[in-house]
PDB file of all heavy atoms in Angstrom:
ATOM      1  N   ALA A   1      49.667  19.618 -24.152  1.00 94.00           N
ATOM      2  CA  ALA A   1      50.511  20.299 -25.139  1.00 94.00           C
ATOM      3  C   ALA A   1      50.732  19.440 -26.377  1.00 94.00           C
ATOM      4  O   ALA A   1      51.052  19.959 -27.444  1.00 94.00           O
ATOM      5  CB  ALA A   1      51.854  20.663 -24.505  1.00 94.00           C
ATOM      6  N   THR A   2      50.539  18.129 -26.252  1.00 90.00           N
ATOM      7  CA  THR A   2      50.699  17.223 -27.402  1.00 90.00           C
ATOM      8  C   THR A   2      49.344  16.830 -27.979  1.00 90.00           C
ATOM      9  O   THR A   2      49.222  15.814 -28.657  1.00 90.00           O
ATOM     10  CB  THR A   2      51.471  15.961 -26.977  1.00 90.00           C
ATOM     11  OG1 THR A   2      50.768  15.331 -25.886  1.00 90.00           O
ATOM     12  CG2 THR A   2      52.870  16.297 -26.541  1.00 90.00           C
ATOM     13  N   GLY A   3      48.314  17.653 -27.697  1.00 88.00           N
ATOM     14  CA  GLY A   3      46.958  17.339 -28.156  1.00 88.00           C
ATOM     15  C   GLY A   3      46.759  17.441 -29.649  1.00 88.00           C
ATOM     16  O   GLY A   3      45.713  17.043 -30.166  1.00 88.00           O
ATOM     17  N   GLY A   4      47.735  18.000 -30.356  1.00 89.00           N
ATOM     18  CA  GLY A   4      47.677  18.028 -31.808  1.00 89.00           C
ATOM     19  C   GLY A   4      46.814  19.139 -32.366  1.00 89.00           C
ATOM     20  O   GLY A   4      46.544  20.146 -31.716  1.00 89.00           O
ATOM     21  N   GLU A   5      46.379  18.933 -33.610  1.00 90.00           N
ATOM     22  CA  GLU A   5      45.624  19.946 -34.350  1.00 90.00           C
ATOM     23  C   GLU A   5      44.452  19.260 -35.018  1.00 90.00           C
ATOM     24  O   GLU A   5      44.538  18.109 -35.422  1.00 90.00           O
ATOM     25  CB  GLU A   5      46.516  20.588 -35.424  1.00 90.00           C
ATOM     26  CG  GLU A   5      45.787  21.585 -36.309  1.00 90.00           C
ATOM     27  CD  GLU A   5      46.667  22.086 -37.446  1.00 90.00           C
ATOM     28  OE1 GLU A   5      47.742  21.497 -37.665  1.00 90.00           O
ATOM     29  OE2 GLU A   5      46.271  23.050 -38.118  1.00 90.00           O
ATOM     30  N   GLY A   6      43.328  19.967 -35.104  1.00 89.00           N
ATOM     31  CA  GLY A   6      42.211  19.393 -35.838  1.00 89.00           C
ATOM     32  C   GLY A   6      40.887  19.647 -35.167  1.00 89.00           C
ATOM     33  O   GLY A   6      40.703  20.647 -34.472  1.00 89.00           O
ATOM     34  N   LYS A   7      39.947  18.708 -35.362  1.00 88.00           N
ATOM     35  CA  LYS A   7      38.597  18.859 -34.831  1.00 88.00           C
ATOM     36  C   LYS A   7      38.203  17.673 -33.962  1.00 88.00           C
ATOM     37  O   LYS A   7      37.022  17.371 -33.818  1.00 88.00           O
ATOM     38  CB  LYS A   7      37.605  19.027 -35.992  1.00 88.00           C
ATOM     39  CG  LYS A   7      37.772  20.332 -36.767  1.00 88.00           C
ATOM     40  CD  LYS A   7      36.657  20.536 -37.766  1.00 88.00           C
ATOM     41  CE  LYS A   7      36.800  21.893 -38.441  1.00 88.00           C
ATOM     42  NZ  LYS A   7      35.701  22.153 -39.406  1.00 88.00           N
ATOM     43  N   HIS A   8      39.190  16.978 -33.401  1.00 90.00           N
ATOM     44  CA  HIS A   8      38.865  15.833 -32.549  1.00 90.00           C
ATOM     45  C   HIS A   8      38.493  16.335 -31.152  1.00 90.00           C
ATOM     46  O   HIS A   8      39.215  16.198 -30.186  1.00 90.00           O
ATOM     47  CB  HIS A   8      40.004  14.808 -32.495  1.00 90.00           C
ATOM     48  CG  HIS A   8      41.372  15.388 -32.436  1.00 90.00           C
ATOM     49  ND1 HIS A   8      41.987  15.940 -33.532  1.00 90.00           N
ATOM     50  CD2 HIS A   8      42.257  15.490 -31.422  1.00 90.00           C
ATOM     51  CE1 HIS A   8      43.197  16.365 -33.190  1.00 90.00           C
ATOM     52  NE2 HIS A   8      43.384  16.105 -31.915  1.00 90.00           N
ATOM     53  N   SER A   9      37.312  16.981 -31.115  1.00 95.00           N
ATOM     54  CA  SER A   9      36.782  17.517 -29.866  1.00 95.00           C
ATOM     55  C   SER A   9      35.287  17.221 -29.822  1.00 95.00           C
ATOM     56  O   SER A   9      34.683  16.877 -30.843  1.00 95.00           O
ATOM     57  CB  SER A   9      37.024  19.023 -29.780  1.00 95.00           C
ATOM     58  OG  SER A   9      36.384  19.691 -30.856  1.00 95.00           O
ATOM     59  N   SER A  10      34.702  17.369 -28.644  1.00 96.00           N
ATOM     60  CA  SER A  10      33.321  16.917 -28.443  1.00 96.00           C
ATOM     61  C   SER A  10      32.296  17.741 -29.212  1.00 96.00           C
ATOM     62  O   SER A  10      31.177  17.282 -29.439  1.00 96.00           O
ATOM     63  CB  SER A  10      32.988  16.912 -26.945  1.00 96.00           C
ATOM     64  OG  SER A  10      33.283  18.159 -26.350  1.00 96.00           O
ATOM     65  N   CYS A  11      32.646  18.969 -29.628  1.00 94.00           N
ATOM     66  CA  CYS A  11      31.738  19.775 -30.461  1.00 94.00           C
ATOM     67  C   CYS A  11      32.223  19.843 -31.899  1.00 94.00           C
ATOM     68  O   CYS A  11      31.570  20.463 -32.746  1.00 94.00           O
ATOM     69  CB  CYS A  11      31.626  21.205 -29.941  1.00 94.00           C
ATOM     70  SG  CYS A  11      31.116  21.380 -28.242  1.00 94.00           S
ATOM     71  N   GLY A  12      33.403  19.291 -32.182  1.00 95.00           N
ATOM     72  CA  GLY A  12      33.964  19.392 -33.519  1.00 95.00           C
ATOM     73  C   GLY A  12      34.648  20.711 -33.799  1.00 95.00           C
ATOM     74  O   GLY A  12      34.907  21.066 -34.949  1.00 95.00           O
ATOM     75  N   THR A  13      34.973  21.467 -32.749  1.00 96.00           N
ATOM     76  CA  THR A  13      35.617  22.771 -32.913  1.00 96.00           C
ATOM     77  C   THR A  13      37.096  22.602 -33.279  1.00 96.00           C
ATOM     78  O   THR A  13      37.787  21.757 -32.710  1.00 96.00           O
ATOM     79  CB  THR A  13      35.495  23.578 -31.604  1.00 96.00           C
ATOM     80  OG1 THR A  13      34.115  23.804 -31.338  1.00 96.00           O
ATOM     81  CG2 THR A  13      36.219  24.907 -31.695  1.00 96.00           C
ATOM     82  N   TYR A  14      37.570  23.447 -34.175  1.00 97.00           N
ATOM     83  CA  TYR A  14      38.992  23.432 -34.547  1.00 97.00           C
ATOM     84  C   TYR A  14      39.840  23.974 -33.396  1.00 97.00           C
ATOM     85  O   TYR A  14      39.470  24.930 -32.713  1.00 97.00           O
ATOM     86  CB  TYR A  14      39.247  24.280 -35.790  1.00 97.00           C
ATOM     87  CG  TYR A  14      40.728  24.429 -36.092  1.00 97.00           C
ATOM     88  CD1 TYR A  14      41.423  23.438 -36.770  1.00 97.00           C
ATOM     89  CD2 TYR A  14      41.427  25.550 -35.640  1.00 97.00           C
ATOM     90  CE1 TYR A  14      42.785  23.562 -37.018  1.00 97.00           C
ATOM     91  CE2 TYR A  14      42.793  25.680 -35.889  1.00 97.00           C
ATOM     92  CZ  TYR A  14      43.457  24.676 -36.570  1.00 97.00           C
ATOM     93  OH  TYR A  14      44.814  24.793 -36.794  1.00 97.00           O
ATOM     94  N   PHE A  15      41.019  23.374 -33.190  1.00 97.00           N
ATOM     95  CA  PHE A  15      42.012  23.898 -32.250  1.00 97.00           C
ATOM     96  C   PHE A  15      43.382  23.414 -32.698  1.00 97.00           C
ATOM     97  O   PHE A  15      43.493  22.465 -33.487  1.00 97.00           O
ATOM     98  CB  PHE A  15      41.721  23.436 -30.813  1.00 97.00           C
ATOM     99  CG  PHE A  15      41.958  21.957 -30.598  1.00 97.00           C
ATOM    100  CD1 PHE A  15      43.146  21.487 -30.059  1.00 97.00           C
ATOM    101  CD2 PHE A  15      40.991  21.026 -30.967  1.00 97.00           C
ATOM    102  CE1 PHE A  15      43.368  20.128 -29.885  1.00 97.00           C
ATOM    103  CE2 PHE A  15      41.200  19.664 -30.798  1.00 97.00           C
ATOM    104  CZ  PHE A  15      42.400  19.214 -30.255  1.00 97.00           C
ATOM    105  N   ASN A  16      44.423  24.051 -32.186  1.00 97.00           N
ATOM    106  CA  ASN A  16      45.786  23.621 -32.464  1.00 97.00           C
ATOM    107  C   ASN A  16      46.595  23.744 -31.179  1.00 97.00           C
ATOM    108  O   ASN A  16      47.006  24.850 -30.797  1.00 97.00           O
ATOM    109  CB  ASN A  16      46.409  24.463 -33.577  1.00 97.00           C
ATOM    110  CG  ASN A  16      47.752  23.915 -34.032  1.00 97.00           C
ATOM    111  OD1 ASN A  16      48.426  23.207 -33.284  1.00 97.00           O
ATOM    112  ND2 ASN A  16      48.149  24.243 -35.258  1.00 97.00           N
ATOM    113  N   ALA A  17      46.770  22.620 -30.475  1.00 97.00           N
ATOM    114  CA  ALA A  17      47.508  22.636 -29.212  1.00 97.00           C
ATOM    115  C   ALA A  17      48.978  22.969 -29.437  1.00 97.00           C
ATOM    116  O   ALA A  17      49.632  23.555 -28.568  1.00 97.00           O
ATOM    117  CB  ALA A  17      47.368  21.275 -28.518  1.00 97.00           C
ATOM    118  N   ASN A  18      49.518  22.621 -30.619  1.00 96.00           N
ATOM    119  CA  ASN A  18      50.933  22.866 -30.897  1.00 96.00           C
ATOM    120  C   ASN A  18      51.244  24.362 -30.900  1.00 96.00           C
ATOM    121  O   ASN A  18      52.317  24.792 -30.448  1.00 96.00           O
ATOM    122  CB  ASN A  18      51.311  22.267 -32.253  1.00 96.00           C
ATOM    123  CG  ASN A  18      50.981  20.788 -32.341  1.00 96.00           C
ATOM    124  OD1 ASN A  18      51.094  20.074 -31.354  1.00 96.00           O
ATOM    125  ND2 ASN A  18      50.558  20.334 -33.514  1.00 96.00           N
ATOM    126  N   THR A  19      50.298  25.165 -31.401  1.00 96.00           N
ATOM    127  CA  THR A  19      50.511  26.613 -31.456  1.00 96.00           C
ATOM    128  C   THR A  19      49.697  27.355 -30.385  1.00 96.00           C
ATOM    129  O   THR A  19      49.667  28.585 -30.372  1.00 96.00           O
ATOM    130  CB  THR A  19      50.117  27.162 -32.838  1.00 96.00           C
ATOM    131  OG1 THR A  19      48.734  26.871 -33.085  1.00 96.00           O
ATOM    132  CG2 THR A  19      50.973  26.539 -33.932  1.00 96.00           C
ATOM    133  N   LYS A  20      49.026  26.583 -29.510  1.00 97.00           N
ATOM    134  CA  LYS A  20      48.196  27.141 -28.424  1.00 97.00           C
ATOM    135  C   LYS A  20      47.079  28.028 -28.996  1.00 97.00           C
ATOM    136  O   LYS A  20      46.806  29.110 -28.469  1.00 97.00           O
ATOM    137  CB  LYS A  20      49.045  27.914 -27.405  1.00 97.00           C
ATOM    138  CG  LYS A  20      50.222  27.125 -26.859  1.00 97.00           C
ATOM    139  CD  LYS A  20      50.988  27.922 -25.822  1.00 97.00           C
ATOM    140  CE  LYS A  20      52.303  27.262 -25.486  1.00 97.00           C
ATOM    141  NZ  LYS A  20      53.283  27.312 -26.583  1.00 97.00           N
ATOM    142  N   ASP A  21      46.468  27.544 -30.032  1.00 97.00           N
ATOM    143  CA  ASP A  21      45.406  28.295 -30.699  1.00 97.00           C
ATOM    144  C   ASP A  21      44.055  27.627 -30.418  1.00 97.00           C
ATOM    145  O   ASP A  21      43.814  26.497 -30.851  1.00 97.00           O
ATOM    146  CB  ASP A  21      45.688  28.333 -32.210  1.00 97.00           C
ATOM    147  CG  ASP A  21      44.664  29.179 -32.959  1.00 97.00           C
ATOM    148  OD1 ASP A  21      44.064  30.081 -32.340  1.00 97.00           O
ATOM    149  OD2 ASP A  21      44.472  28.921 -34.165  1.00 97.00           O
ATOM    150  N   PHE A  22      43.203  28.327 -29.681  1.00 98.00           N
ATOM    151  CA  PHE A  22      41.872  27.817 -29.345  1.00 98.00           C
ATOM    152  C   PHE A  22      40.855  28.884 -29.759  1.00 98.00           C
ATOM    153  O   PHE A  22      40.369  29.666 -28.940  1.00 98.00           O
ATOM    154  CB  PHE A  22      41.776  27.514 -27.848  1.00 98.00           C
ATOM    155  CG  PHE A  22      42.729  26.436 -27.403  1.00 98.00           C
ATOM    156  CD1 PHE A  22      44.011  26.757 -26.977  1.00 98.00           C
ATOM    157  CD2 PHE A  22      42.353  25.100 -27.442  1.00 98.00           C
ATOM    158  CE1 PHE A  22      44.904  25.763 -26.583  1.00 98.00           C
ATOM    159  CE2 PHE A  22      43.240  24.100 -27.057  1.00 98.00           C
ATOM    160  CZ  PHE A  22      44.518  24.426 -26.626  1.00 98.00           C
ATOM    161  N   PRO A  23      40.544  28.966 -31.074  1.00 97.00           N
ATOM    162  CA  PRO A  23      39.784  30.096 -31.605  1.00 97.00           C
ATOM    163  C   PRO A  23      38.350  30.192 -31.084  1.00 97.00           C
ATOM    164  O   PRO A  23      37.755  31.268 -31.156  1.00 97.00           O
ATOM    165  CB  PRO A  23      39.796  29.841 -33.123  1.00 97.00           C
ATOM    166  CG  PRO A  23      40.100  28.388 -33.268  1.00 97.00           C
ATOM    167  CD  PRO A  23      40.969  28.024 -32.122  1.00 97.00           C
ATOM    168  N   SER A  24      37.803  29.116 -30.546  1.00 97.00           N
ATOM    169  CA  SER A  24      36.414  29.178 -30.091  1.00 97.00           C
ATOM    170  C   SER A  24      36.275  29.924 -28.775  1.00 97.00           C
ATOM    171  O   SER A  24      35.168  30.311 -28.396  1.00 97.00           O
ATOM    172  CB  SER A  24      35.832  27.768 -29.970  1.00 97.00           C
ATOM    173  OG  SER A  24      34.430  27.811 -29.868  1.00 97.00           O
ATOM    174  N   VAL A  25      37.411  30.162 -28.044  1.00 98.00           N
ATOM    175  CA  VAL A  25      37.285  30.926 -26.790  1.00 98.00           C
ATOM    176  C   VAL A  25      37.213  32.441 -27.057  1.00 98.00           C
ATOM    177  O   VAL A  25      36.243  33.075 -26.600  1.00 98.00           O
ATOM    178  CB  VAL A  25      38.416  30.550 -25.807  1.00 98.00           C
ATOM    179  CG1 VAL A  25      38.284  31.374 -24.529  1.00 98.00           C
ATOM    180  CG2 VAL A  25      38.394  29.054 -25.485  1.00 98.00           C
ATOM    181  N   PRO A  26      38.197  33.104 -27.727  1.00 98.00           N
ATOM    182  CA  PRO A  26      39.459  32.553 -28.233  1.00 98.00           C
ATOM    183  C   PRO A  26      40.619  32.751 -27.240  1.00 98.00           C
ATOM    184  O   PRO A  26      40.666  33.746 -26.522  1.00 98.00           O
ATOM    185  CB  PRO A  26      39.695  33.393 -29.485  1.00 98.00           C
ATOM    186  CG  PRO A  26      39.084  34.737 -29.155  1.00 98.00           C
ATOM    187  CD  PRO A  26      37.924  34.468 -28.237  1.00 98.00           C
ATOM    188  N   TYR A  27      41.534  31.750 -27.251  1.00 98.00           N
ATOM    189  CA  TYR A  27      42.830  31.871 -26.578  1.00 98.00           C
ATOM    190  C   TYR A  27      43.918  31.695 -27.629  1.00 98.00           C
ATOM    191  O   TYR A  27      43.766  30.899 -28.570  1.00 98.00           O
ATOM    192  CB  TYR A  27      43.016  30.785 -25.516  1.00 98.00           C
ATOM    193  CG  TYR A  27      42.227  30.957 -24.239  1.00 98.00           C
ATOM    194  CD1 TYR A  27      41.679  29.837 -23.598  1.00 98.00           C
ATOM    195  CD2 TYR A  27      42.051  32.202 -23.640  1.00 98.00           C
ATOM    196  CE1 TYR A  27      40.964  29.964 -22.405  1.00 98.00           C
ATOM    197  CE2 TYR A  27      41.334  32.340 -22.461  1.00 98.00           C
ATOM    198  CZ  TYR A  27      40.790  31.218 -21.846  1.00 98.00           C
ATOM    199  OH  TYR A  27      40.088  31.344 -20.676  1.00 98.00           O
ATOM    200  N   SER A  28      45.024  32.415 -27.395  1.00 98.00           N
ATOM    201  CA  SER A  28      46.200  32.263 -28.260  1.00 98.00           C
ATOM    202  C   SER A  28      47.417  32.026 -27.371  1.00 98.00           C
ATOM    203  O   SER A  28      47.298  31.948 -26.147  1.00 98.00           O
ATOM    204  CB  SER A  28      46.402  33.533 -29.094  1.00 98.00           C
ATOM    205  OG  SER A  28      46.829  34.601 -28.248  1.00 98.00           O
ATOM    206  N   ALA A  29      48.579  31.938 -27.985  1.00 97.00           N
ATOM    207  CA  ALA A  29      49.817  31.689 -27.231  1.00 97.00           C
ATOM    208  C   ALA A  29      50.064  32.739 -26.158  1.00 97.00           C
ATOM    209  O   ALA A  29      50.746  32.468 -25.157  1.00 97.00           O
ATOM    210  CB  ALA A  29      50.998  31.628 -28.195  1.00 97.00           C
ATOM    211  N   TRP A  30      49.477  33.946 -26.325  1.00 97.00           N
ATOM    212  CA  TRP A  30      49.665  35.006 -25.334  1.00 97.00           C
ATOM    213  C   TRP A  30      48.981  34.687 -24.002  1.00 97.00           C
ATOM    214  O   TRP A  30      49.282  35.306 -22.987  1.00 97.00           O
ATOM    215  CB  TRP A  30      49.066  36.322 -25.874  1.00 97.00           C
ATOM    216  CG  TRP A  30      49.794  36.876 -27.058  1.00 97.00           C
ATOM    217  CD1 TRP A  30      49.422  36.781 -28.362  1.00 97.00           C
ATOM    218  CD2 TRP A  30      51.021  37.596 -27.047  1.00 97.00           C
ATOM    219  NE1 TRP A  30      50.339  37.401 -29.179  1.00 97.00           N
ATOM    220  CE2 TRP A  30      51.343  37.916 -28.392  1.00 97.00           C
ATOM    221  CE3 TRP A  30      51.906  38.007 -26.040  1.00 97.00           C
ATOM    222  CZ2 TRP A  30      52.485  38.613 -28.737  1.00 97.00           C
ATOM    223  CZ3 TRP A  30      53.050  38.713 -26.391  1.00 97.00           C
ATOM    224  CH2 TRP A  30      53.332  39.010 -27.729  1.00 97.00           C
ATOM    225  N   ASP A  31      48.068  33.748 -24.002  1.00 98.00           N
ATOM    226  CA  ASP A  31      47.212  33.521 -22.834  1.00 98.00           C
ATOM    227  C   ASP A  31      47.670  32.361 -21.957  1.00 98.00           C
ATOM    228  O   ASP A  31      46.920  31.898 -21.087  1.00 98.00           O
ATOM    229  CB  ASP A  31      45.774  33.282 -23.311  1.00 98.00           C
ATOM    230  CG  ASP A  31      45.242  34.467 -24.100  1.00 98.00           C
ATOM    231  OD1 ASP A  31      45.424  35.603 -23.627  1.00 98.00           O
ATOM    232  OD2 ASP A  31      44.690  34.259 -25.203  1.00 98.00           O
ATOM    233  N   PHE A  32      48.910  31.904 -22.174  1.00 98.00           N
ATOM    234  CA  PHE A  32      49.418  30.770 -21.411  1.00 98.00           C
ATOM    235  C   PHE A  32      50.683  31.141 -20.645  1.00 98.00           C
ATOM    236  O   PHE A  32      51.336  32.134 -20.951  1.00 98.00           O
ATOM    237  CB  PHE A  32      49.649  29.573 -22.345  1.00 98.00           C
ATOM    238  CG  PHE A  32      48.371  29.035 -22.926  1.00 98.00           C
ATOM    239  CD1 PHE A  32      47.856  29.558 -24.110  1.00 98.00           C
ATOM    240  CD2 PHE A  32      47.656  28.045 -22.270  1.00 98.00           C
ATOM    241  CE1 PHE A  32      46.659  29.086 -24.639  1.00 98.00           C
ATOM    242  CE2 PHE A  32      46.456  27.571 -22.792  1.00 98.00           C
ATOM    243  CZ  PHE A  32      45.957  28.083 -23.966  1.00 98.00           C
ATOM    244  N   ASN A  33      51.022  30.328 -19.675  1.00 96.00           N
ATOM    245  CA  ASN A  33      52.047  30.665 -18.685  1.00 96.00           C
ATOM    246  C   ASN A  33      53.461  30.264 -19.069  1.00 96.00           C
ATOM    247  O   ASN A  33      54.365  30.387 -18.247  1.00 96.00           O
ATOM    248  CB  ASN A  33      51.723  29.987 -17.339  1.00 96.00           C
ATOM    249  CG  ASN A  33      51.018  30.929 -16.385  1.00 96.00           C
ATOM    250  OD1 ASN A  33      51.150  32.147 -16.493  1.00 96.00           O
ATOM    251  ND2 ASN A  33      50.270  30.372 -15.456  1.00 96.00           N
ATOM    252  N   ASP A  34      53.682  29.785 -20.278  1.00 90.00           N
ATOM    253  CA  ASP A  34      54.988  29.203 -20.602  1.00 90.00           C
ATOM    254  C   ASP A  34      56.161  30.116 -20.236  1.00 90.00           C
ATOM    255  O   ASP A  34      57.183  29.634 -19.739  1.00 90.00           O
ATOM    256  CB  ASP A  34      55.041  28.890 -22.106  1.00 90.00           C
ATOM    257  CG  ASP A  34      54.056  27.792 -22.477  1.00 90.00           C
ATOM    258  OD1 ASP A  34      53.046  27.666 -21.776  1.00 90.00           O
ATOM    259  OD2 ASP A  34      54.302  27.083 -23.457  1.00 90.00           O
ATOM    260  N   GLY A  35      56.010  31.406 -20.448  1.00 90.00           N
ATOM    261  CA  GLY A  35      57.110  32.326 -20.170  1.00 90.00           C
ATOM    262  C   GLY A  35      57.439  32.441 -18.693  1.00 90.00           C
ATOM    263  O   GLY A  35      58.561  32.810 -18.328  1.00 90.00           O
ATOM    264  N   LYS A  36      56.486  32.136 -17.820  1.00 94.00           N
ATOM    265  CA  LYS A  36      56.723  32.252 -16.385  1.00 94.00           C
ATOM    266  C   LYS A  36      57.338  31.007 -15.782  1.00 94.00           C
ATOM    267  O   LYS A  36      57.900  31.049 -14.694  1.00 94.00           O
ATOM    268  CB  LYS A  36      55.386  32.533 -15.668  1.00 94.00           C
ATOM    269  CG  LYS A  36      54.805  33.896 -15.935  1.00 94.00           C
ATOM    270  CD  LYS A  36      53.538  34.116 -15.137  1.00 94.00           C
ATOM    271  CE  LYS A  36      53.832  34.272 -13.653  1.00 94.00           C
ATOM    272  NZ  LYS A  36      52.603  34.470 -12.862  1.00 94.00           N
ATOM    273  N   CYS A  37      57.197  29.869 -16.465  1.00 95.00           N
ATOM    274  CA  CYS A  37      57.676  28.607 -15.899  1.00 95.00           C
ATOM    275  C   CYS A  37      59.191  28.506 -15.996  1.00 95.00           C
ATOM    276  O   CYS A  37      59.772  28.770 -17.048  1.00 95.00           O
ATOM    277  CB  CYS A  37      57.023  27.429 -16.628  1.00 95.00           C
ATOM    278  SG  CYS A  37      57.618  25.829 -16.025  1.00 95.00           S
ATOM    279  N   SER A  38      59.817  28.101 -14.902  1.00 92.00           N
ATOM    280  CA  SER A  38      61.284  28.096 -14.830  1.00 92.00           C
ATOM    281  C   SER A  38      61.894  26.733 -15.129  1.00 92.00           C
ATOM    282  O   SER A  38      63.121  26.604 -15.142  1.00 92.00           O
ATOM    283  CB  SER A  38      61.714  28.527 -13.424  1.00 92.00           C
ATOM    284  OG  SER A  38      61.193  27.623 -12.454  1.00 92.00           O
ATOM    285  N   THR A  39      61.078  25.692 -15.374  1.00 95.00           N
ATOM    286  CA  THR A  39      61.652  24.360 -15.578  1.00 95.00           C
ATOM    287  C   THR A  39      62.008  24.134 -17.035  1.00 95.00           C
ATOM    288  O   THR A  39      61.406  24.724 -17.945  1.00 95.00           O
ATOM    289  CB  THR A  39      60.678  23.254 -15.122  1.00 95.00           C
ATOM    290  OG1 THR A  39      59.540  23.235 -15.990  1.00 95.00           O
ATOM    291  CG2 THR A  39      60.215  23.464 -13.698  1.00 95.00           C
ATOM    292  N   GLY A  40      62.963  23.262 -17.271  1.00 94.00           N
ATOM    293  CA  GLY A  40      63.391  22.962 -18.631  1.00 94.00           C
ATOM    294  C   GLY A  40      62.305  22.295 -19.453  1.00 94.00           C
ATOM    295  O   GLY A  40      62.163  22.550 -20.649  1.00 94.00           O
ATOM    296  N   SER A  41      61.501  21.460 -18.800  1.00 95.00           N
ATOM    297  CA  SER A  41      60.465  20.707 -19.513  1.00 95.00           C
ATOM    298  C   SER A  41      59.190  21.510 -19.724  1.00 95.00           C
ATOM    299  O   SER A  41      58.358  21.169 -20.564  1.00 95.00           O
ATOM    300  CB  SER A  41      60.118  19.440 -18.729  1.00 95.00           C
ATOM    301  OG  SER A  41      59.523  19.790 -17.484  1.00 95.00           O
TER     302      SER A  41
END
């Protein structure tokens, strides 16, 4: 989750871990489990 934003990946693909944006798949914030997790962290 703290992976940051940019192209520091093995193919040079853009992503933004802060906003859960992985356009090369694509995945967005809708595709993650945050809403189901019950812990504070």
Side-chain angles (χ1 to χ4, degrees):
T2 57
E5 176 186 12
K7 293 188 176 182
H8 39 285
S9 60
S10 53
C11 304
T13 298
Y14 173 82
F15 70 97
N16 188 336
N18 304 325
T19 59
K20 307 182 191 69
D21 184 25
F22 297 90
S24 195
V25 179
Y27 286 142
S28 70
W30 293 101
D31 301 314
F32 294 88
N33 262 336
D34 294 28
K36 291 183 71 181
C37 178
S38 60
T39 68
S41 65

